[in-house]
Amino acid sequence: QVQLVESGGGLVQAGGSLRLSCAASGADFSINTVAWYRQAVGQERELVAFIHSRGSGVTDYADSVKGRFTISRDNAKNTLYLQMNSLKPEDTGAYYCNRRQGWGPLWPWGQGTQVTVSS
């Protein structure tokens, strides 16, 4: 049974930074293309960033976060990270990690971590 645990969210002023973490049990991040998603209130969950599996390490980002967010992975800790800089109020939402949609069945969603950016 795969379990995902996201952490690191909080309340921050616009322009600030946060680093999110996602720890997995029952799944190996290093052999999966994994991603961060976010969901604002009343909106659908959207893909924010993803990182390809194994040595590729190729990353890609939603246009709205390019140049501000960085996704990374620590294979030894089986943990996924999202460094978020220059945060904007529109970045507010619950952030989740999971497989990249279309790259295998999604794992059960974790509880997410809430990010709130005040103006």
Side-chain angles (χ1 to χ4, degrees):
Q1 180 76 14
V2 175
Q3 188 171 21
L4 304 170
V5 179
E6 299 92 349
S7 62
L11 174 63
V12 63
Q13 288 187 330
S17 299
L18 285 172
R19 188 194 193 204
L20 307 185
S21 300
C22 173
S25 59
D28 186 344
F29 277 168
S30 70
I31 59 172
N32 286 279
T33 295
V34 288
W36 281 99
Y37 300 82
R38 69 184 177 194
Q39 186 170 23
V41 174
Q43 297 186 21
E44 292 187 356
R45 193 170 288 163
E46 63 172 344
L47 179 69
V48 173
F50 68 91
I51 181 167
H52 281 282
S53 61
R54 292 196 182 272
S56 167
V58 172
T59 59
D60 203 2
Y61 301 87
D63 287 343
S64 58
V65 306
K66 277 182 180 176
R68 300 188 298 121
F69 289 12
T70 303
I71 187 172
S72 62
R73 179 179 60 212
D74 185 328
N75 292 336
K77 295 181 179 180
N78 204 31
T79 299
L80 186 70
Y81 301 99
L82 185 68
Q83 178 66 44
M84 306 188 296
N85 298 328
S86 302
L87 282 162
K88 302 176 180 180
E90 51 262 45
D91 295 319
T92 294
Y95 283 70
Y96 304 85
C97 64
N98 210 312
R99 269 182 171 143
R100 167 79 161 95
Q101 282 183 311
W103 290 76
L106 292 177
W107 298 312
W109 293 97
Q111 85 287 351
T113 187
Q114 178 68 33
V115 172
T116 303
V117 184
S118 63
S119 57

